Amino acid sequence: QVQLVESGGGLVQPGESLRLSCAASGFTFSTYGMSWYRQAPGKEREWVATITSTAGNTNYAGSVRDRFTISRDNAKNMAYLQMNSLKPEDTAVYYCKASPPSTILEVYWGQGTQVTVSS
């Protein structure tokens, strides 16, 4: 059974940090690219960051570049999103996504974790 379980969300003040985790199981994690997306109330889900299967490459949305860092540990089947200098506009439900090495395989999504940045 495939599972992606996010954790680490919460309520923080502007300028603080959070580290989100995504625990994967039920598929060959090391062969999947991993991404983080977020969805704010009343808005469409948007891409935040991606890391390749071997962690050789990362990409970030302009709004989070230089503040967020995506990483992974293939030995632990974990992906992470370190979020620094958080802003109120970062408030959203954050989702991890597993993208397969082949289009014949499924894309997997987690259930999301809430991040609220407010003073």
Side-chain angles (χ1 to χ4, degrees), residues 5 7 9 12-14 16-17 19 21 23 38 40 52 69 71 82 93 96-97 101 111 113 117-118:
V5 180
S7 62
V12 296
Q13 294 189 344
E16 294 186 338
S17 298
R19 187 195 196 204
S21 299
R38 66 186 182 186
T52 55
T69 302
S71 62
Q82 177 67 42
V93 177
C96 65
K97 172 188 172 185
Q111 84 292 343
T113 185
V117 185
S118 175

Short mmCIF file of all heavy atoms in Angstrom, two decimals, residues 5 7 9 12-14 16-17 19 21 23 38 40 52 69 71 82 93 96-97 101 111 113 117-118:
data_model
loop_
_atom_site.label_atom_id
_atom_site.label_comp_id
_atom_site.label_asym_id
_atom_site.label_seq_id
_atom_site.Cartn_x
_atom_site.Cartn_y
_atom_site.Cartn_z
N VAL A 5 3.10 10.49 3.85
CA VAL A 5 2.55 11.11 5.05
C VAL A 5 3.39 12.32 5.43
O VAL A 5 4.56 12.18 5.79
CB VAL A 5 2.51 10.11 6.22
CG1 VAL A 5 1.93 10.79 7.46
CG2 VAL A 5 1.69 8.88 5.85
N SER A 7 4.29 15.66 7.72
CA SER A 7 4.23 16.08 9.11
C SER A 7 5.11 17.30 9.30
O SER A 7 5.89 17.65 8.40
CB SER A 7 4.68 14.95 10.04
OG SER A 7 6.03 14.59 9.77
N GLY A 9 3.96 20.46 10.14
CA GLY A 9 3.27 21.73 10.02
C GLY A 9 2.89 22.30 11.38
O GLY A 9 3.01 21.63 12.41
N VAL A 12 3.33 29.30 13.29
CA VAL A 12 4.56 30.01 13.64
C VAL A 12 4.38 31.50 13.36
O VAL A 12 3.47 31.89 12.62
CB VAL A 12 5.78 29.48 12.85
CG1 VAL A 12 6.07 28.04 13.22
CG2 VAL A 12 5.58 29.65 11.36
N GLN A 13 5.28 32.29 13.92
CA GLN A 13 5.25 33.73 13.68
C GLN A 13 6.10 34.06 12.46
O GLN A 13 7.00 33.28 12.08
CB GLN A 13 5.78 34.46 14.91
CG GLN A 13 4.90 34.31 16.13
CD GLN A 13 5.32 35.22 17.26
OE1 GLN A 13 6.41 35.76 17.27
NE2 GLN A 13 4.43 35.41 18.22
N PRO A 14 5.83 35.18 11.83
CA PRO A 14 6.67 35.60 10.70
C PRO A 14 8.14 35.65 11.08
O PRO A 14 8.49 36.08 12.18
CB PRO A 14 6.14 37.00 10.38
CG PRO A 14 4.72 36.96 10.83
CD PRO A 14 4.72 36.11 12.08
N GLU A 16 9.99 33.02 11.51
CA GLU A 16 10.42 31.75 12.10
C GLU A 16 10.57 30.66 11.03
O GLU A 16 10.36 30.90 9.85
CB GLU A 16 9.42 31.34 13.18
CG GLU A 16 9.40 32.28 14.37
CD GLU A 16 8.52 31.81 15.50
OE1 GLU A 16 7.61 30.99 15.25
OE2 GLU A 16 8.74 32.25 16.63
N SER A 17 10.96 29.48 11.50
CA SER A 17 11.25 28.37 10.60
C SER A 17 10.40 27.15 10.95
O SER A 17 9.94 26.99 12.08
CB SER A 17 12.72 27.98 10.70
OG SER A 17 13.56 29.05 10.31
N ARG A 19 10.27 22.76 9.59
CA ARG A 19 10.77 21.70 8.73
C ARG A 19 9.67 20.68 8.52
O ARG A 19 9.22 20.05 9.48
CB ARG A 19 11.99 21.01 9.34
CG ARG A 19 12.66 20.02 8.38
CD ARG A 19 13.60 19.12 9.15
NE ARG A 19 14.53 18.42 8.28
CZ ARG A 19 15.13 17.27 8.62
NH1 ARG A 19 14.90 16.73 9.80
NH2 ARG A 19 15.97 16.68 7.78
N SER A 21 8.28 17.16 6.88
CA SER A 21 8.77 15.84 6.51
C SER A 21 7.70 15.11 5.71
O SER A 21 6.50 15.33 5.91
CB SER A 21 9.11 15.02 7.75
OG SER A 21 10.13 15.64 8.51
N ALA A 23 7.05 11.12 4.75
CA ALA A 23 7.45 9.72 4.89
C ALA A 23 6.78 8.89 3.80
O ALA A 23 5.56 8.92 3.67
CB ALA A 23 7.06 9.21 6.27
N ARG A 38 1.81 23.56 -2.45
CA ARG A 38 1.01 24.14 -1.39
C ARG A 38 -0.27 24.73 -1.97
O ARG A 38 -0.33 25.08 -3.14
CB ARG A 38 1.79 25.23 -0.64
CG ARG A 38 2.14 26.45 -1.46
CD ARG A 38 3.05 27.38 -0.65
NE ARG A 38 3.37 28.59 -1.39
CZ ARG A 38 4.23 29.52 -0.96
NH1 ARG A 38 4.85 29.37 0.21
NH2 ARG A 38 4.46 30.60 -1.69
N ALA A 40 -3.19 27.51 -0.70
CA ALA A 40 -3.74 28.48 0.25
C ALA A 40 -5.26 28.53 0.07
O ALA A 40 -5.78 28.20 -0.99
CB ALA A 40 -3.13 29.84 0.01
N THR A 52 15.35 15.83 -7.58
CA THR A 52 15.41 14.64 -8.40
C THR A 52 15.65 13.39 -7.55
O THR A 52 15.97 13.49 -6.36
CB THR A 52 16.52 14.76 -9.45
OG1 THR A 52 17.76 15.05 -8.79
CG2 THR A 52 16.20 15.86 -10.44
N THR A 69 14.46 25.02 1.48
CA THR A 69 15.40 24.02 0.98
C THR A 69 14.74 22.65 0.97
O THR A 69 14.26 22.19 2.01
CB THR A 69 16.67 23.97 1.84
OG1 THR A 69 17.30 25.26 1.86
CG2 THR A 69 17.65 22.95 1.27
N SER A 71 15.09 18.57 0.43
CA SER A 71 16.13 17.54 0.53
C SER A 71 15.44 16.18 0.65
O SER A 71 14.22 16.10 0.77
CB SER A 71 17.04 17.80 1.73
OG SER A 71 16.30 17.76 2.94
N GLN A 82 12.75 22.37 4.37
CA GLN A 82 13.15 23.31 5.40
C GLN A 82 12.69 24.69 4.97
O GLN A 82 13.07 25.17 3.89
CB GLN A 82 14.67 23.29 5.58
CG GLN A 82 15.19 24.31 6.58
CD GLN A 82 14.76 24.01 8.00
OE1 GLN A 82 14.77 22.86 8.44
NE2 GLN A 82 14.36 25.03 8.73
N VAL A 93 -1.82 24.71 3.03
CA VAL A 93 -1.64 23.28 3.25
C VAL A 93 -0.52 22.84 2.30
O VAL A 93 -0.58 23.12 1.10
CB VAL A 93 -2.92 22.48 2.98
CG1 VAL A 93 -2.66 20.99 3.16
CG2 VAL A 93 -4.04 22.95 3.91
N CYS A 96 3.25 16.77 -0.26
CA CYS A 96 4.36 16.18 -1.00
C CYS A 96 3.81 15.31 -2.12
O CYS A 96 2.72 14.75 -2.02
CB CYS A 96 5.32 15.40 -0.10
SG CYS A 96 4.64 13.94 0.70
N LYS A 97 4.60 15.24 -3.17
CA LYS A 97 4.20 14.52 -4.38
C LYS A 97 5.37 13.67 -4.84
O LYS A 97 6.51 14.15 -4.87
CB LYS A 97 3.82 15.51 -5.47
CG LYS A 97 3.58 14.91 -6.85
CD LYS A 97 3.41 16.02 -7.88
CE LYS A 97 3.37 15.49 -9.29
NZ LYS A 97 3.32 16.58 -10.30
N PRO A 101 9.50 7.52 -12.40
CA PRO A 101 10.49 7.59 -13.47
C PRO A 101 9.91 7.28 -14.85
O PRO A 101 10.58 7.48 -15.86
CB PRO A 101 11.52 6.54 -13.05
CG PRO A 101 10.74 5.55 -12.24
CD PRO A 101 9.71 6.37 -11.51
N GLN A 111 -1.46 13.63 2.08
CA GLN A 111 -2.74 14.21 2.50
C GLN A 111 -2.60 15.67 2.91
O GLN A 111 -3.61 16.36 3.08
CB GLN A 111 -3.33 13.39 3.66
CG GLN A 111 -2.80 13.75 5.04
CD GLN A 111 -1.34 13.38 5.26
OE1 GLN A 111 -0.77 12.59 4.52
NE2 GLN A 111 -0.75 13.95 6.30
N THR A 113 -0.22 18.89 5.12
CA THR A 113 -0.01 19.37 6.49
C THR A 113 -0.16 20.88 6.49
O THR A 113 0.33 21.56 5.59
CB THR A 113 1.36 18.93 7.04
OG1 THR A 113 1.48 19.31 8.41
CG2 THR A 113 2.51 19.55 6.26
N VAL A 117 1.31 30.95 9.19
CA VAL A 117 2.29 31.96 9.61
C VAL A 117 1.51 33.22 9.99
O VAL A 117 0.91 33.87 9.13
CB VAL A 117 3.30 32.26 8.49
CG1 VAL A 117 4.36 33.23 9.01
CG2 VAL A 117 3.93 30.98 7.97
N SER A 118 1.52 33.53 11.27
CA SER A 118 0.72 34.65 11.75
C SER A 118 1.29 35.17 13.05
O SER A 118 1.81 34.41 13.86
CB SER A 118 -0.73 34.20 11.96
OG SER A 118 -1.50 35.24 12.54
#
